Coordinates of all heavy atoms in Angstrom, one line a residue:
M64 N 0.9 -1.2 0.0 CA 0.0 0.0 0.0 C 0.8 1.3 0.0 O 1.9 1.3 0.7 CB -0.9 0.0 1.2 CG -2.0 1.1 1.2 SD -3.1 0.9 2.6 CE -2.5 2.2 3.5
I65 N 0.5 2.2 -0.8 CA 1.3 3.4 -0.8 C 1.0 4.4 0.3 O -0.1 4.6 0.6 CB 1.1 4.1 -2.3 CG1 2.1 5.2 -2.5 CG2 -0.4 4.6 -2.4 CD1 2.0 5.7 -4.0
E66 N 2.0 5.0 0.7 CA 1.9 6.1 1.7 C 2.6 7.4 1.2 O 3.7 7.2 0.6 CB 2.6 5.7 3.0 CG 1.8 4.6 3.8 CD 2.4 4.4 5.2 OE1 3.6 4.7 5.4 OE2 1.7 3.9 6.1
L67 N 2.0 8.5 1.4 CA 2.6 9.8 1.0 C 2.8 10.7 2.2 O 1.8 10.8 2.9 CB 1.7 10.4 -0.1 CG 1.8 9.9 -1.5 CD1 1.0 10.8 -2.5 CD2 3.2 9.8 -2.1
R68 N 3.8 11.5 2.1 CA 3.9 12.6 3.0 C 2.9 13.6 2.6 O 2.6 13.8 1.4 CB 5.4 13.1 2.9 CG 6.5 12.3 3.6 CD 7.8 12.9 3.3 NE 7.9 14.3 3.5 CZ 8.7 14.9 4.4 NH1 9.4 14.2 5.2 NH2 8.7 16.2 4.5
L69 N 2.5 14.5 3.6 CA 1.5 15.5 3.3 C 2.0 16.5 2.3 O 1.3 16.9 1.3 CB 1.2 16.2 4.6 CG 0.3 17.5 4.5 CD1 -1.1 17.1 4.0 CD2 0.2 18.2 5.8
D70 N 3.3 16.9 2.4 CA 3.8 18.0 1.4 C 3.8 17.4 0.0 O 3.4 18.0 -1.0 CB 5.1 18.5 1.8 CG 6.2 17.4 2.1 OD1 5.9 16.3 2.1 OD2 7.3 17.8 2.3
K71 N 4.1 16.1 -0.1 CA 4.1 15.4 -1.5 C 2.7 15.3 -2.0 O 2.4 15.6 -3.2 CB 4.8 14.1 -1.4 CG 4.7 13.3 -2.6 CD 6.0 13.2 -3.4 CE 5.8 12.4 -4.6 NZ 7.0 12.0 -5.2
F72 N 1.8 14.9 -1.1 CA 0.4 14.8 -1.6 C -0.2 16.2 -2.1 O -0.8 16.2 -3.2 CB -0.5 14.3 -0.4 CG -2.0 14.2 -0.7 CD1 -2.5 13.2 -1.5 CD2 -2.9 15.2 -0.2 CE1 -3.9 13.2 -1.8 CE2 -4.2 15.2 -0.6 CZ -4.7 14.1 -1.3
L73 N 0.1 17.2 -1.4 CA -0.4 18.6 -1.8 C 0.2 18.9 -3.1 O -0.5 19.6 -3.9 CB -0.1 19.6 -0.7 CG -0.8 19.4 0.6 CD1 -0.3 20.3 1.6 CD2 -2.4 19.6 0.4
K74 N 1.5 18.6 -3.4 CA 2.1 18.9 -4.7 C 1.5 18.1 -5.8 O 1.1 18.6 -6.8 CB 3.6 18.7 -4.6 CG 4.3 19.0 -5.9 CD 5.8 18.6 -5.8 CE 6.5 18.8 -7.0 NZ 6.0 17.8 -8.1
V75 N 1.4 16.7 -5.6 CA 0.8 15.8 -6.5 C -0.6 16.2 -7.0 O -0.9 16.2 -8.2 CB 0.9 14.4 -6.1 CG1 0.2 13.4 -7.0 CG2 2.4 13.9 -6.0
T76 N -1.4 16.6 -6.0 CA -2.8 16.9 -6.3 C -2.9 18.3 -6.9 O -3.9 18.7 -7.3 CB -3.7 16.9 -5.0 OG1 -3.1 17.7 -4.0 CG2 -3.8 15.4 -4.5
R77 N -1.8 19.1 -6.8 CA -1.8 20.4 -7.3 C -2.6 21.4 -6.5 O -3.0 22.4 -6.9 CB -2.1 20.6 -8.7 CG -1.0 19.9 -9.6 CD -1.5 19.6 -11.0 NE -0.4 19.1 -11.9 CZ 0.0 17.8 -11.9 NH1 -0.5 16.9 -11.0 NH2 0.9 17.4 -12.7
L78 N -2.9 21.0 -5.2 CA -3.6 21.9 -4.3 C -2.7 23.1 -3.9 O -3.1 24.2 -3.8 CB -4.1 21.1 -3.0 CG -5.3 20.2 -3.2 CD1 -5.4 19.2 -2.1 CD2 -6.6 21.1 -3.4
I79 N -1.4 22.6 -3.8 CA -0.3 23.7 -3.6 C 0.8 23.4 -4.6 O 1.2 22.3 -4.7 CB 0.2 23.6 -2.1 CG1 -0.9 24.0 -1.1 CG2 1.4 24.7 -2.0 CD1 -0.5 24.0 0.3
K80 N 1.1 24.4 -5.5 CA 2.0 24.1 -6.6 C 3.4 23.6 -6.2 O 3.9 22.7 -6.9 CB 2.2 25.4 -7.4 CG 0.9 25.9 -7.9 CD 0.6 25.4 -9.3 CE -0.6 26.0 -10.0 NZ -1.8 25.4 -9.7
R81 N 4.0 24.1 -5.2 CA 5.4 23.7 -4.9 C 5.5 23.0 -3.5 O 4.8 23.4 -2.6 CB 6.4 24.8 -5.0 CG 6.7 25.2 -6.3 CD 7.7 26.4 -6.4 NE 6.9 27.5 -6.9 CZ 6.6 28.6 -6.1 NH1 6.9 28.7 -4.9 NH2 5.9 29.6 -6.6
R82 N 6.4 22.0 -3.4 CA 6.5 21.2 -2.2 C 7.0 22.1 -1.1 O 6.6 21.9 0.1 CB 7.4 20.1 -2.5 CG 7.3 19.0 -1.3 CD 7.9 17.7 -1.8 NE 8.0 16.8 -0.8 CZ 8.5 15.5 -0.9 NH1 8.8 15.1 -2.1 NH2 8.5 14.8 0.1
T83 N 7.9 23.0 -1.4 CA 8.4 24.0 -0.4 C 7.3 24.8 0.2 O 7.3 25.1 1.4 CB 9.5 24.9 -0.9 OG1 9.1 25.4 -2.1 CG2 10.8 24.1 -1.2
M84 N 6.4 25.3 -0.6 CA 5.2 26.0 -0.2 C 4.3 25.2 0.7 O 3.8 25.6 1.7 CB 4.4 26.5 -1.4 CG 4.9 27.8 -2.0 SD 4.8 29.2 -0.8 CE 3.0 29.4 -0.7
A85 N 4.1 23.9 0.3 CA 3.3 23.0 1.1 C 3.9 22.8 2.5 O 3.2 22.7 3.5 CB 3.1 21.6 0.3
K86 N 5.2 22.7 2.5 CA 5.8 22.5 3.8 C 5.7 23.7 4.7 O 5.4 23.6 5.9 CB 7.4 22.2 3.5 CG 8.2 22.0 4.8 CD 9.6 21.8 4.5 CE 10.5 21.5 5.7 NZ 10.1 22.0 7.0
E87 N 5.8 24.9 4.1 CA 5.6 26.2 4.8 C 4.2 26.2 5.4 O 4.0 26.6 6.6 CB 5.8 27.4 4.0 CG 7.3 27.7 3.8 CD 7.5 28.9 2.8 OE1 6.6 29.8 2.8 OE2 8.6 28.9 2.1
V88 N 3.2 26.0 4.6 CA 1.8 26.1 5.0 C 1.5 25.0 6.2 O 1.0 25.4 7.2 CB 0.8 25.7 3.9 CG1 -0.6 25.5 4.3 CG2 0.9 26.8 2.8
A89 N 2.1 23.8 6.1 CA 1.9 22.8 7.1 C 2.7 23.3 8.4 O 2.1 23.1 9.5 CB 2.5 21.5 6.7
D90 N 3.9 23.8 8.2 CA 4.7 24.2 9.4 C 4.0 25.4 10.1 O 4.3 25.6 11.3 CB 6.1 24.5 9.0 CG 6.9 23.3 8.6 OD1 6.4 22.1 8.9 OD2 8.0 23.4 8.0
Q91 N 3.2 26.2 9.4 CA 2.5 27.3 10.0 C 1.2 26.8 10.8 O 0.4 27.6 11.3 CB 2.1 28.3 9.0 CG 3.3 29.1 8.4 CD 2.9 29.9 7.2 OE1 1.8 29.9 6.7 NE2 3.9 30.5 6.6
G92 N 1.0 25.5 10.8 CA -0.2 25.0 11.4 C -1.5 25.3 10.8 O -2.6 25.3 11.4
R93 N -1.5 25.4 9.5 CA -2.7 25.7 8.7 C -3.4 24.5 8.1 O -4.4 24.6 7.3 CB -2.4 26.7 7.6 CG -2.1 28.1 8.2 CD -1.4 29.1 7.3 NE -2.0 29.1 5.9 CZ -1.4 29.7 4.9 NH1 -0.2 30.3 5.1 NH2 -1.9 29.7 3.7
I94 N -3.0 23.3 8.5 CA -3.5 22.0 7.9 C -3.7 21.1 9.1 O -2.9 20.9 9.9 CB -2.5 21.4 6.9 CG1 -2.2 22.4 5.8 CG2 -3.2 20.1 6.3 CD1 -1.2 21.8 4.8
T95 N -4.9 20.4 9.0 CA -5.1 19.3 10.0 C -5.5 18.1 9.2 O -6.1 18.2 8.1 CB -6.3 19.6 10.9 OG1 -7.5 19.8 10.2 CG2 -6.1 20.9 11.8
I96 N -5.2 16.9 9.8 CA -5.6 15.6 9.2 C -6.3 15.0 10.2 O -5.9 14.7 11.4 CB -4.3 14.7 8.9 CG1 -3.4 15.4 7.8 CG2 -4.7 13.4 8.4 CD1 -2.1 14.7 7.5
N97 N -7.6 14.7 10.0 CA -8.6 14.0 10.9 C -8.6 14.8 12.2 O -8.7 14.2 13.3 CB -8.2 12.5 11.1 CG -8.3 11.8 9.8 OD1 -9.1 12.0 8.9 ND2 -7.4 10.8 9.7
G98 N -8.6 16.1 12.2 CA -8.7 16.9 13.4 C -7.4 17.2 14.1 O -7.4 17.9 15.0
N99 N -6.3 16.6 13.7 CA -4.9 16.8 14.4 C -4.0 17.7 13.5 O -4.0 17.5 12.3 CB -4.2 15.4 14.6 CG -5.1 14.5 15.4 OD1 -5.7 14.8 16.4 ND2 -5.2 13.2 14.9
K100 N -3.4 18.6 14.2 CA -2.4 19.5 13.4 C -1.5 18.6 12.7 O -0.9 17.6 13.2 CB -1.7 20.4 14.4 CG -2.4 21.7 14.6 CD -1.5 22.8 15.0 CE -2.1 24.0 15.5 NZ -3.3 24.5 14.9
A101 N -1.2 19.0 11.4 CA -0.3 18.1 10.6 C 1.0 18.9 10.3 O 1.0 20.1 10.2 CB -1.0 17.8 9.3
K102 N 2.1 18.1 10.2 CA 3.4 18.6 9.8 C 3.6 18.1 8.3 O 2.9 17.3 7.8 CB 4.5 18.1 10.6 CG 4.4 18.6 12.0 CD 5.7 18.3 12.8 CE 5.7 16.9 13.2 NZ 6.5 16.5 14.4
A103 N 4.5 18.8 7.6 CA 4.8 18.4 6.3 C 5.2 16.9 6.1 O 4.9 16.3 5.1 CB 6.0 19.3 5.7
S104 N 5.8 16.3 7.2 CA 6.1 14.9 7.2 C 5.1 14.0 7.5 O 5.2 12.7 7.5 CB 7.3 14.7 8.1 OG 7.0 15.0 9.4
S105 N 3.9 14.5 8.0 CA 2.7 13.6 8.3 C 2.4 12.8 7.1 O 2.4 13.1 6.0 CB 1.5 14.5 8.7 OG 1.9 15.3 9.8
I106 N 2.0 11.5 7.5 CA 1.6 10.5 6.4 C 0.1 10.7 6.2 O -0.7 10.7 7.0 CB 1.8 9.1 6.9 CG1 3.4 8.9 7.1 CG2 1.4 8.1 5.9 CD1 4.3 9.1 5.9
V107 N -0.3 10.8 4.8 CA -1.6 10.9 4.4 C -2.1 9.5 4.0 O -1.4 8.8 3.3 CB -1.7 11.9 3.2 CG1 -3.2 11.9 2.7 CG2 -1.3 13.2 3.7
S108 N -3.3 9.1 4.3 CA -3.8 7.7 3.9 C -5.2 8.0 3.3 O -5.9 9.0 3.5 CB -4.1 6.9 5.2 OG -2.8 6.7 5.9
V109 N -5.6 7.0 2.5 CA -6.9 7.0 1.8 C -8.0 7.1 2.9 O -7.9 6.4 3.9 CB -7.1 5.9 0.9 CG1 -8.5 5.8 0.4 CG2 -6.1 5.9 -0.2
G110 N -9.0 8.0 2.7 CA -10.0 8.2 3.7 C -9.8 9.2 4.7 O -10.7 9.7 5.4
D111 N -8.5 9.8 4.7 CA -8.3 10.9 5.7 C -9.1 12.1 5.3 O -9.3 12.4 4.1 CB -6.8 11.2 5.7 CG -6.0 10.3 6.5 OD1 -6.6 9.4 7.2 OD2 -4.8 10.3 6.4
E112 N -9.4 13.0 6.3 CA -10.0 14.3 6.1 C -9.1 15.3 6.3 O -8.5 15.5 7.4 CB -11.2 14.4 7.0 CG -12.0 15.7 6.7 CD -13.3 15.9 7.6 OE1 -14.3 15.3 7.2 OE2 -13.1 16.5 8.6
L113 N -8.8 16.1 5.3 CA -7.8 17.3 5.5 C -8.6 18.6 5.5 O -9.6 18.7 4.8 CB -6.9 17.3 4.3 CG -5.6 16.5 4.3 CD1 -5.9 15.0 4.4 CD2 -4.8 16.8 3.1
V114 N -8.1 19.5 6.4 CA -8.7 20.8 6.4 C -7.5 21.7 6.3 O -6.6 21.7 6.9 CB -9.5 21.2 7.8 CG1 -9.9 22.5 7.7 CG2 -10.6 20.1 8.0
I115 N -7.6 22.6 5.2 CA -6.5 23.5 4.8 C -7.0 24.9 4.8 O -8.0 25.1 4.2 CB -6.0 23.1 3.4 CG1 -5.6 21.6 3.3 CG2 -4.8 24.0 3.1 CD1 -5.3 21.1 1.9
K116 N -6.2 25.8 5.5 CA -6.6 27.2 5.5 C -5.7 27.9 4.4 O -4.6 28.0 4.5 CB -6.3 27.8 6.8 CG -6.8 29.2 7.0 CD -6.7 29.7 8.4 CE -7.5 30.9 8.6 NZ -6.6 32.2 8.5
F117 N -6.5 28.4 3.4 CA -5.9 29.2 2.3 C -6.3 30.6 2.5 O -7.4 31.0 2.1 CB -6.3 28.7 0.9 CG -5.9 27.4 0.5 CD1 -6.8 26.3 0.5 CD2 -4.6 27.1 0.0 CE1 -6.3 25.1 0.0 CE2 -4.2 26.0 -0.4 CZ -5.0 24.9 -0.4
G118 N -5.5 31.5 3.1 CA -5.9 32.9 3.3 C -7.2 33.0 4.0 O -7.3 32.6 5.2
Q119 N -8.2 33.5 3.4 CA -9.6 33.6 3.9 C -10.5 32.5 3.7 O -11.7 32.6 3.9 CB -10.2 34.9 3.4 CG -9.4 36.2 3.6 CD -9.1 36.4 5.1 OE1 -10.0 36.4 6.0 NE2 -7.8 36.7 5.4
K120 N -10.0 31.4 3.2 CA -10.8 30.2 2.8 C -10.4 29.0 3.6 O -9.2 28.8 3.8 CB -10.7 30.0 1.3 CG -11.8 29.2 0.7 CD -11.8 29.3 -0.8 CE -10.6 28.8 -1.4 NZ -10.7 28.6 -2.9
L121 N -11.3 28.3 4.1 CA -11.1 26.9 4.7 C -11.7 25.9 3.9 O -12.9 25.8 3.6 CB -11.8 26.9 6.1 CG -11.3 26.2 7.2 CD1 -9.8 26.5 7.5 CD2 -12.1 26.3 8.5
V122 N -10.8 25.0 3.4 CA -11.2 23.9 2.5 C -11.1 22.6 3.2 O -10.1 22.2 3.7 CB -10.3 23.9 1.2 CG1 -10.8 22.8 0.3 CG2 -10.4 25.2 0.5
T123 N -12.2 21.8 3.2 CA -12.2 20.5 3.8 C -12.3 19.5 2.7 O -13.2 19.6 1.8 CB -13.5 20.3 4.7 OG1 -13.4 21.4 5.7 CG2 -13.4 18.9 5.4
L124 N -11.4 18.5 2.7 CA -11.4 17.5 1.6 C -11.2 16.1 2.1 O -10.6 15.9 3.2 CB -10.4 17.9 0.5 CG -9.1 18.3 0.8 CD1 -8.1 17.1 0.6 CD2 -8.7 19.4 -0.1
E125 N -11.6 15.1 1.3 CA -11.3 13.7 1.7 C -10.4 13.1 0.7 O -10.5 13.4 -0.5 CB -12.7 12.9 1.6 CG -12.5 11.5 2.1 CD -13.8 10.7 2.0 OE1 -14.9 11.4 2.0 OE2 -13.8 9.5 1.9
V126 N -9.4 12.3 1.1 CA -8.4 11.7 0.3 C -9.1 10.4 -0.3 O -9.5 9.5 0.3 CB -7.2 11.3 1.1 CG1 -6.2 10.6 0.2 CG2 -6.6 12.5 1.7
N127 N -9.1 10.4 -1.7 CA -9.8 9.2 -2.4 C -8.7 8.2 -2.8 O -9.0 7.1 -2.9 CB -10.5 9.7 -3.6 CG -11.8 10.5 -3.3 OD1 -12.3 10.3 -2.2 ND2 -12.2 11.3 -4.2
A128 N -7.5 8.7 -3.2 CA -6.5 7.9 -3.7 C -5.1 8.5 -3.5 O -5.0 9.7 -3.4 CB -6.7 7.6 -5.1
L129 N -4.1 7.6 -3.5 CA -2.7 8.1 -3.4 C -1.9 7.7 -4.6 O -1.9 6.5 -4.9 CB -2.2 7.7 -2.1 CG -2.7 8.2 -0.8 CD1 -2.1 7.4 0.4 CD2 -2.6 9.7 -0.6
K130 N -1.2 8.6 -5.2 CA -0.3 8.2 -6.3 C 1.0 9.1 -6.2 O 0.9 10.2 -5.7 CB -0.9 8.5 -7.6 CG -2.0 7.5 -7.9 CD -2.5 7.6 -9.4 CE -3.5 6.5 -9.7 NZ -4.1 6.6 -11.0
E131 N 2.2 8.5 -6.7 CA 3.4 9.3 -6.6 C 3.4 10.4 -7.6 O 4.0 11.5 -7.3 CB 4.5 8.3 -6.9 CG 4.8 7.4 -5.8 CD 5.6 8.0 -4.7 OE1 6.3 9.0 -4.9 OE2 5.5 7.5 -3.5
A132 N 2.7 10.2 -8.7 CA 2.6 11.2 -9.8 C 1.4 11.0 -10.7 O 1.0 9.8 -10.9 CB 3.9 11.2 -10.6
V133 N 0.8 12.1 -11.1 CA -0.4 12.0 -11.9 C -0.3 13.2 -12.9 O 0.4 14.2 -12.7 CB -1.7 12.1 -11.2 CG1 -2.0 10.9 -10.3 CG2 -1.8 13.4 -10.3
K134 N -1.1 13.0 -14.1 CA -1.1 14.0 -15.1 C -2.0 15.1 -14.5 O -3.0 14.9 -13.6 CB -1.7 13.5 -16.3 CG -0.8 12.5 -17.0 CD -1.4 12.2 -18.4 CE -0.5 11.3 -19.2 NZ -0.6 9.8 -18.8
K135 N -1.9 16.3 -15.0 CA -2.6 17.5 -14.4 C -4.2 17.2 -14.4 O -4.8 17.5 -13.4 CB -2.4 18.7 -15.3 CG -2.9 20.0 -14.7 CD -2.4 21.2 -15.6 CE -2.9 22.5 -14.9 NZ -2.5 23.6 -15.8
D136 N -4.7 16.6 -15.4 CA -6.2 16.4 -15.5 C -6.7 15.3 -14.7 O -7.8 15.2 -14.4 CB -6.7 16.3 -17.0 CG -6.0 15.2 -17.7 OD1 -4.9 14.7 -17.2 OD2 -6.4 14.8 -18.7
E137 N -5.8 14.5 -14.1 CA -6.1 13.4 -13.2 C -6.0 13.8 -11.8 O -6.4 13.1 -10.8 CB -5.3 12.1 -13.5 CG -5.6 11.6 -14.9 CD -4.6 10.4 -15.2 OE1 -3.7 10.1 -14.3 OE2 -4.6 9.9 -16.3
A138 N -5.3 14.9 -11.4 CA -5.0 15.3 -10.1 C -6.3 15.4 -9.2 O -6.2 15.0 -8.0 CB -4.2 16.5 -10.1
E139 N -7.4 16.0 -9.7 CA -8.5 16.2 -8.9 C -9.2 14.8 -8.6 O -10.1 14.8 -7.6 CB -9.5 17.1 -9.7 CG -9.0 18.5 -9.6 CD -10.1 19.4 -10.2 OE1 -11.3 19.1 -10.4 OE2 -9.7 20.6 -10.5
M140 N -8.9 13.7 -9.2 CA -9.5 12.4 -8.9 C -8.9 11.9 -7.6 O -9.5 11.0 -7.0 CB -9.3 11.4 -10.0 CG -10.0 11.8 -11.3 SD -9.7 10.8 -12.8 CE -8.8 9.4 -12.2
L141 N -7.8 12.4 -7.1 CA -7.2 11.9 -5.8 C -7.9 12.4 -4.5 O -7.6 11.9 -3.5 CB -5.7 12.3 -5.8 CG -4.8 11.8 -6.9 CD1 -3.4 12.3 -6.8 CD2 -4.9 10.3 -7.0
Y142 N -8.8 13.4 -4.7 CA -9.5 14.0 -3.5 C -10.9 14.5 -3.9 O -11.2 14.7 -5.0 CB -8.7 15.1 -2.9 CG -8.5 16.3 -3.8 CD1 -9.5 17.4 -3.7 CD2 -7.5 16.4 -4.7 CE1 -9.3 18.4 -4.5 CE2 -7.3 17.5 -5.5 CZ -8.3 18.6 -5.4 OH -8.1 19.6 -6.2
K143 N -11.7 14.6 -2.9 CA -13.0 15.2 -3.0 C -13.2 16.3 -2.1 O -13.0 16.1 -0.9 CB -14.0 14.0 -2.8 CG -15.5 14.5 -2.9 CD -16.4 13.4 -2.8 CE -17.0 13.4 -1.3 NZ -17.8 12.3 -1.0
V144 N -13.6 17.4 -2.6 CA -13.8 18.6 -1.7 C -15.2 18.4 -1.0 O -16.3 18.2 -1.6 CB -13.9 19.9 -2.5 CG1 -14.2 21.1 -1.6 CG2 -12.5 20.2 -3.2
I145 N -15.2 18.4 0.3 CA -16.4 18.2 1.1 C -17.1 19.5 1.3 O -18.3 19.7 1.1 CB -16.1 17.6 2.4 CG1 -15.5 16.1 2.2 CG2 -17.3 17.5 3.3 CD1 -14.9 15.5 3.4
K146 N -16.3 20.6 1.7 CA -16.8 22.0 1.8 C -15.8 23.0 1.7 O -14.6 22.7 2.0 CB -17.6 22.1 3.1 CG -16.9 22.0 4.3 CD -17.7 22.1 5.6 CE -16.9 22.0 6.8 NZ -17.7 22.0 8.0
E147 N -16.2 24.2 1.4 CA -15.4 25.4 1.3 C -16.1 26.4 2.1 O -17.3 26.6 1.8 CB -15.0 25.8 -0.1 CG -14.1 25.0 -0.8 CD -13.8 25.6 -2.3 OE1 -13.6 26.9 -2.3 OE2 -13.7 24.9 -3.2
E148 N -15.4 27.1 3.0 CA -16.1 28.2 3.7 C -15.1 29.4 3.9 O -13.9 29.2 4.0 CB -16.6 27.7 5.1 CG -15.6 27.0 5.9 CD -16.2 26.3 7.1 OE1 -17.1 26.7 7.6 OE2 -15.7 25.1 7.4
K149 N -15.7 30.5 3.9 CA -14.9 31.8 4.1 C -14.7 31.9 5.7 O -15.6 31.7 6.4 CB -15.7 33.0 3.6 CG -15.5 33.1 2.1 CD -15.5 34.7 1.8 CE -15.2 34.9 0.4 NZ -13.8 34.7 0.0
V150 N -13.5 32.4 6.0 CA -13.2 32.8 7.4 C -12.7 34.1 7.5 O -12.1 34.6 6.5 CB -12.2 31.7 8.0 CG1 -12.9 30.4 8.3 CG2 -11.0 31.6 7.2
N151 N -12.9 34.8 8.6 CA -12.4 36.2 8.8 C -11.1 36.2 9.6 O -10.8 35.4 10.4 CB -13.4 37.0 9.4 CG -14.7 37.1 8.5 OD1 -14.6 37.0 7.2 ND2 -15.8 37.4 9.1

């Protein structure tokens, strides 16, 4: 079974373009996995619920699949957005 680090998952899915940016976002405490604060090195598994804070937006998503690399048009198949909400 494949396991991916959080920073690699965010890059592969193109939720965050660069792995270094994904690491920064995680290190700032803006990402949780199943309700727990996540680090860039946290392991992501299928079925996990991620909550990511992008500026004024909170995005909740579920991990559907894990792959080391995907084509751009297949990246969105790896996760499902459950909700997006604005935060102040």
Side-chain angles (χ1 to χ4, degrees):
M64 193 175 103
I65 191 169
E66 287 186 338
L67 281 186
R68 286 172 47 115
L69 176 62
D70 54 354
K71 172 108 182 192
F72 175 76
L73 293 172
K74 179 187 175 292
V75 169
T76 57
R77 293 163 175 81
L78 287 163
I79 297 178
K80 297 270 186 272
R81 280 179 254 111
R82 196 162 171 178
T83 50
M84 276 295 296
K86 183 180 180 337
E87 281 177 30
V88 171
D90 291 346
Q91 291 168 1
R93 292 166 40 194
I94 304 175
T95 61
I96 299 176
N97 299 326
N99 302 314
K100 271 206 188 325
K102 292 192 286 204
S104 60
S105 299
I106 298 298
V107 176
S108 305
V109 173
D111 282 353
E112 182 178 277
L113 274 60
V114 178
I115 307 169
K116 186 170 192 267
F117 292 106
Q119 302 302 311
K120 198 164 64 168
L121 209 57
V122 179
T123 304
L124 49 98
E125 183 182 342
V126 179
N127 289 338
L129 295 173
K130 289 190 178 177
E131 288 283 337
V133 291
K134 293 187 176 82
K135 190 176 182 182
D136 55 346
E137 295 173 1
E139 286 187 13
M140 293 172 14
L141 300 180
Y142 64 93
K143 180 177 93 183
V144 175
I145 297 169
K146 67 179 175 188
E147 284 186 40
E148 51 193 322
K149 278 214 174 287
V150 286
N151 297 335

